[in-house]
Amino acid sequence: MIDLTNAINKTVPISMFNRGLGGKVFKNVKQQGAMVFMKKNVAECVLVSPEEYVSLVDELNDMELQLLAMQRMANAYLSAAVPAEEVYRNLGIGPEDIENFEEVELD
């Protein structure tokens, strides 16, 4: 996860790209993490490595899924829930049927 205070402290002028220092900037981002680029003393953009970006997007997706699950649970009618054993019995599924399936991994 990005340390935002550290990222904000790592500000560089956007003119570095105009001076042909883009390669050095990219190397620093990969080694040290996100950098904030300033233009006329205002934050213009934040540059992160592809790995850091993917990590942030994954984290955001996980949070959205968690929020959705929490909303669904808040609106669920738990009193109408049916125990799994009853569902299995109604569908004619026995313990031996379940044992024959491979374990499912949820990420």
Side-chain angles (χ1 to χ4, degrees):
M1 183 167 189
I2 295 176
D3 176 3
L4 292 179
T5 305
N6 190 26
I8 290 170
N9 289 333
K10 292 196 299 185
T11 59
V12 292
I14 203 161
S15 62
M16 286 186 74
F17 283 104
N18 298 339
R19 292 187 234 145
L21 298 174
K24 182 178 179 182
V25 169
F26 295 140
K27 183 178 177 182
N28 285 345
V29 168
K30 280 198 170 249
Q31 291 175 345
Q32 300 171 11
M35 297 183 89
V36 179
F37 286 85
M38 306 295 284
K39 183 176 182 181
K40 297 182 181 176
N41 293 325
V42 176
E44 186 70 16
C45 69
V46 177
L47 187 63
V48 296
S49 70
E51 296 81 13
E52 217 169 347
Y53 176 77
V54 168
S55 175
L56 288 170
V57 170
D58 285 346
E59 213 170 308
L60 177 61
N61 287 335
D62 289 346
M63 285 188 233
E64 288 174 345
L65 289 172
Q66 184 177 7
L67 177 61
L68 179 61
M70 289 169 55
Q71 290 170 339
R72 287 179 177 174
M73 287 304 296
N75 296 322
Y77 298 104
L78 297 180
S79 60
V82 179
E85 292 77 18
E86 187 177 330
V87 173
Y88 297 154
R89 188 174 53 253
N90 291 341
L91 295 174
I93 298 172
E96 65 282 350
D97 297 316
I98 296 171
E99 290 173 7
N100 293 332
F101 285 99
E102 292 181 25
E103 189 71 27
V104 176
E105 288 187 33
L106 300 176
D107 290 328

